[in-house]
Amino acid sequence: ADEIFVCVVASPKDSGSNGSNGSNATTTDVLPEFLREYRSRGLLKFFRPSVDRGAIDKLLHVLRHEASRIGNETDGGSSGDTKILYLDDDMVYPPFLVESLSKAADRHPDSAVAFSGARLRDRFRQIRHTDPELDVHPNLYFYAGGLDAKSDKRVDIVQGFMGVVVRPRFFDVDDFVNLAAEENLPSAVRKSDDWIVSSYLESVGVDRMLVVPHDESLDNTPVMNEAASIVD
């Protein structure tokens, strides 16, 4: 069955916060009313980590949770092939985006898929141009949008703001958690979750695919939630 998880860092006032095991801890002091309602109706589950590791939290905790279920039939079981679709919290997403991205993942079961991405000049192997005057965008990398593309294409970077689908079997979870949860990462690196995920997948040989919607008539373009986007 499909599940929806929300990751909200626990506030100092929280009591009974469970860290990252996905249960519904009592943390109503920082949750808006509509989220509390959805939780009470069983529509959402929450991760409440005590440490804020930045945008990577949206994948880190659900990946660890799902990996813990592999082979555990008492907890619903998992083959490691579960589709994990993660999104940003400062975007308003249109209908059918999740469905469309999920169907695209079915076309590429061994790749991470996304509706937005970029290609580097040399697949993570050349960071600076030899000519300083040319070491500027778009020589280093160039953006590639999936919604206006004619066909699926391989990219180096997948971008979470438009949605990304990965599967637990793409990761050595312990290695990835150690990388993503490193407490001494500089702030600028911690905020670069797209690069952390994409470079890890490159290192283990998992392709990243920029995909087109399954129905070209769909408008899958999300809209920035301006109020949410100003909160760091």
Side-chain angles (χ1 to χ4, degrees):
D2 294 337
E3 296 177 290
I4 301 175
F5 290 94
V6 178
C7 183
V8 182
V9 176
S11 77
K13 297 180 180 179
D14 290 342
S15 59
S17 181
N18 65 335
S20 59
N21 64 14
S23 66
N24 295 332
T26 302
T27 51
T28 55
D29 59 309
V30 294
L31 295 180
E33 178 61 34
F34 77 95
L35 287 181
R36 297 203 297 270
E37 178 186 353
Y38 289 162
R39 183 179 61 186
S40 68
R41 293 163 56 189
L43 300 177
L44 297 177
K45 296 182 180 179
F46 285 82
F47 295 113
R48 302 309 308 270
S50 58
V51 177
D52 184 357
R53 295 188 173 88
I56 197 68
D57 274 342
K58 63 181 175 240
L59 174 60
L60 186 64
H61 300 290
V62 71
L63 180 63
R64 185 158 47 187
H65 169 71
E66 187 61 28
S68 71
R69 299 172 58 196
I70 295 177
N72 185 355
E73 297 300 327
T74 62
D75 192 25
S78 173
S79 65
D81 206 43
T82 300
K83 287 182 282 189
I84 298 175
L85 192 160
Y86 63 86
L87 302 158
D88 281 3
D89 61 2
D90 57 358
M91 305 296 293
V92 179
Y93 294 95
F96 305 112
L97 183 141
V98 169
E99 176 188 358
S100 186
L101 195 54
S102 178
K103 289 183 176 181
D106 291 337
R107 298 199 300 268
H108 302 283
D110 295 318
S111 301
V113 303
F115 278 145
S116 182
R119 286 192 286 187
L120 299 178
R121 194 169 51 243
D122 193 26
R123 295 187 66 174
F124 292 91
R125 290 170 176 81
Q126 182 182 1
I127 301 302
R128 298 188 65 83
H129 201 284
T130 55
D131 184 343
E133 293 185 1
L134 295 178
D135 191 31
V136 294
H137 180 79
N139 294 310
L140 175 60
Y141 68 93
F142 62 92
Y143 167 81
L147 300 182
D148 55 1
K150 301 301 182 183
S151 62
D152 299 348
K153 64 181 71 174
R154 187 198 173 280
V155 293
D156 296 304
I157 307 296
V158 286
Q159 296 177 294
F161 84 99
M162 288 282 283
V164 177
V165 176
V166 297
R167 302 173 192 260
R169 62 181 170 85
F170 295 170
F171 299 83
D172 179 311
V173 175
D174 289 338
D175 282 351
F176 182 74
V177 168
N178 288 337
L179 169 67
E182 169 57 53
E183 294 185 2
N184 295 320
L185 285 178
S187 175
V189 175
R190 191 176 302 284
K191 294 178 180 179
S192 302
D193 55 302
D194 297 333
W195 287 79
I196 293 173
V197 174
S198 298
S199 58
Y200 175 85
L201 293 176
E202 170 73 13
S203 74
V204 295
V206 175
D207 279 343
R208 284 78 61 210
M209 297 296 299
L210 186 72
V211 295
V212 297
H214 73 282
D215 183 341
E216 293 183 357
S217 66
L218 293 178
D219 178 8
N220 285 287
T221 306
V223 178
M224 175 72 73
N225 181 335
E226 297 295 342
S229 66
I230 62 174
V231 179
D232 188 3

